[in-house]
Amino acid sequence: MNLNIYDFLMGVIISIVLLFFVLFYHIKLYKNHSFLKIWVAGTGMVILGFVLSLFASVPSFRPYAIMSSNLLLILGQGVYYISLKSFFEGNLKFSNYRSALFSFLLIYVSVFSDNTTLRMFSTSIVLLMFSAFVLRLLYSHRTAEIHRSISVLIITYWINTSFWIFRVLFTIMVLPSKPELSEFIVLLTDLSALLPSVLGSFGIILLTNQKLSSMLEKEKIKFSNIIDISPDLVVVTKLYDGKIFHANKKFIDKLGYRFEDIQNKSTLDLNIWNDNSARNLFLNALVECETLENYEAYLYTKETEPFLGSISSSKIVIDDEQYVISIIRDVSDLRETERKLIESEQKYKVIALSSASWEAWFNENGKLIWTNEMIKHIIGYSPNEATKLEDIFKDIVISDNLASLAKEYKYALSSRISGKNEFLINHKIFGERWILISWKKIYDSNNDFNGYRTSTIDITDQKKAELKASELASKLKIEKEIAEKNSLIDSMTGLANRRYLEQRIMYEYARMKRNWSNLSIIMIDVDFFKLYNDTYGHVQGDICLKTIAATLRSTVKRQTDLVARYGGEEFVVLLPETDKYSASILADNIKTNIENLEIEHMTSTISDYVTVSIGIATFTKDCNVSCEDLIQKADVALYQAKKIGRNSISHA
């Protein structure tokens, strides 16, 4: 078969030169994509194998040329697969070791076998396997964004796969009977091996560019989304003419425009800057510093309303052109607040300097940082002396008050509250003095705690007045208690008086009804006491009554019972939860104990000694007697005792 090998070779060489030029350009352009370098290495192997196959016509080089050519062609196809796997999956891990071992055996046969038919068959199988692997890889990663470029590779490898299938069938079915066609098949093999090198490289270039374009588009969308969701005003402009490339809704709304109003317009066209010189100042500062933070300038809305913008800007590159991304915050209100705060502080200092109280500022550690001149009057230290102390209150507050001061400070620090408290201090000149400290916490612009403002006055005179008032109040309280007690006690006998007796009767009567218990009243009258007074005198009569009162107190032993002087020579014993029998026993003991006193009574008609008549009234839960009539019942019984001859006991 006559072939113009020279013309064919020249065409291949020209294609190779152009191909390598394009590939190396892309390698330089996309330095981070190592798969391109791997693909170029595979292409080099295939082309070198093709060149070596041309030397097979020289008898002395034929075995080596065929061996080297087959090895390089197979390795080149394998490297193509590795390159594409690196591009799509980013790793070169192989887990199918059986396929690898089988491929290795076939490669060995393809390179070292002396049997032409076997060598061509095994070479075809190996190259067919690599083509199938590549096709499976391409189909598994075919997506809409790279559909066009990957289709070029798929068509290329389908042509390649079809040829290897043809070669396998030809080697088995035709070559044994027509060996003279082997040279033609070898030439077709070389052309088929070069097909991925030429068309495949073209497809790889398309694939790379298309995927990078897709990635760039995604990054642009991501970039736009980040800008759009920012809570601040964000705008991207060209560096030198200020034309707006992108702006978020916050920026457009703040300036009062619509999106279509700012398209293809510069910031100067929209009069966002006061004038061109204002933008030039900003631009010069940005060019000099590369990035700007909190650059403040007045910007203007569509209605020419100014606002003070704090601009943070940085230069970026988009499609080889320089842009500026700027984040803008409206700080008009903040600066106005700061201005008012400064004015307020100045006013406060004027007031504080002329105040009659000690006005001061302390930092978060309790160190004095500013004070007016009243400090000298309040604690005896000059402003210069006080500011040199680390914690002036620890030096002046008396030790007993230090724990309270520390507790107050710690609580105020944790709760962020204002407050006030009194402390006893050692005045540098006058000794112990009382002060009242009022404090308020101070915060900076970030709402961080920044210390305390205090106002302190001397309350020594007030505390002295309070102490005297307290002493007077205590004295009055004691006198009141004594008076109240005297109002309920009989002054001569020390027993309860009639007023207290009546209160207790009402209480015990209600308790008797509530608890369903008994209540007894014993009423006692000293027999012929008027004659006793006439005979022995009123002084001796008082002594007699006191003696009887003491006897009654010692005879009635229960804490719940009450002995009272009812009036004159009459006494009453109130007995809660006491039935008639128990009351009778106690009454008999009273009568006996008084007789045993043997107080002389010469004018008595019933005895030589003082005696008593006793009336007893006992009430139960179901009695119908009112509370006011209880004493009356006992008095009736007493009247009966007197009527039957005195020195006796009678029951109602």
Side-chain angles (χ1 to χ4, degrees), residues 451-609:
Y452 286 95
R453 178 178 66 80
T454 62
S455 180
T456 308
I457 59 174
D458 188 313
I459 57 170
T460 304
D461 293 340
Q462 177 184 332
K463 291 295 287 187
K464 288 179 179 178
E466 288 177 358
L467 182 61
K468 289 181 179 179
S470 178
E471 291 175 351
L472 179 60
S474 297
K475 185 176 180 181
L476 290 173
K477 182 179 179 182
I478 293 171
E479 290 177 355
K480 181 181 177 182
E481 290 174 352
I482 292 172
E484 288 178 350
K485 184 177 180 181
N486 289 339
S487 68
L488 302 175
I489 300 297
D490 178 65
S491 58
M492 184 181 74
T493 62
L495 299 176
N497 61 16
R498 182 171 179 170
R499 177 185 173 190
Y500 183 61
L501 172 66
E502 289 173 347
Q503 292 176 3
R504 276 292 300 277
I505 288 174
M506 292 176 66
Y507 171 76
E508 295 297 344
Y509 179 77
R511 193 160 71 91
M512 175 195 73
K513 289 288 188 179
R514 185 171 61 252
N515 297 339
W516 287 36
S517 58
N518 298 319
L519 177 65
S520 295
I521 296 177
I522 298 175
M523 197 163 191
I524 304 161
D525 183 77
V526 180
D527 295 329
F528 304 114
F529 188 71
K530 184 177 182 305
L531 294 175
Y532 186 91
N533 269 338
D534 293 341
T535 304
Y536 299 98
H538 288 285
V539 175
Q540 191 62 38
D542 290 345
I543 294 172
C544 176
L545 292 176
K546 288 178 181 180
T547 304
I548 292 172
T551 303
L552 291 173
R553 191 183 290 114
S554 62
T555 305
V556 181
K557 301 182 183 297
R558 292 192 312 178
Q559 294 292 327
T560 55
D561 299 339
L562 176 69
V563 179
R565 184 183 179 193
Y566 193 67
E569 67 274 18
E570 290 182 327
F571 297 90
V572 173
V573 179
L574 183 63
L575 302 170
E577 298 183 359
T578 304
D579 57 17
K580 181 178 180 180
Y581 174 75
S582 299
S584 299
I585 293 174
L586 181 60
D588 189 63
N589 289 339
I590 290 171
K591 176 176 174 297
T592 301
N593 290 341
I594 290 175
E595 283 182 313
N596 291 338
L597 292 174
E598 294 184 350
I599 300 172
E600 185 181 278
H601 191 349
M602 293 184 298
T603 54
S604 173
T605 59
I606 58 173
S607 175
D608 294 333
Y609 303 104

Side-chain angles (χ1 to χ4, degrees), residues 411-479:
Y411 175 70
L413 190 64
S414 62
S415 59
R416 290 195 167 197
I417 62 168
S418 302
K420 61 182 179 179
N421 209 341
E422 300 171 353
F423 297 100
L424 184 63
I425 66 165
N426 270 320
H427 192 283
K428 187 178 180 183
I429 300 171
F430 301 116
E432 289 189 0
R433 306 285 291 180
W434 280 97
I435 61 171
L436 173 64
I437 306 174
S438 301
W439 63 82
K440 186 174 182 179
K441 300 182 80 171
I442 301 171
Y443 300 93
D444 60 20
S445 58
N446 295 322
N447 201 32
D448 293 328
F449 174 60
N450 203 26
Y452 286 95
R453 178 178 66 80
T454 62
S455 180
T456 308
I457 59 174
D458 188 313
I459 57 170
T460 304
D461 293 340
Q462 177 184 332
K463 291 295 287 187
K464 288 179 179 178
E466 288 177 358
L467 182 61
K468 289 181 179 179
S470 178
E471 291 175 351
L472 179 60
S474 297
K475 185 176 180 181
L476 290 173
K477 182 179 179 182
I478 293 171
E479 290 177 355

Side-chain angles (χ1 to χ4, degrees), residues 136-154:
R136 185 179 64 178
L137 187 66
L138 293 174
Y139 275 109
S140 64
H141 293 88
R142 184 168 60 173
T143 59
E145 63 183 18
I146 57 173
H147 177 76
R148 185 175 57 187
S149 56
I150 207 169
S151 295
V152 174
L153 288 170
I154 289 173

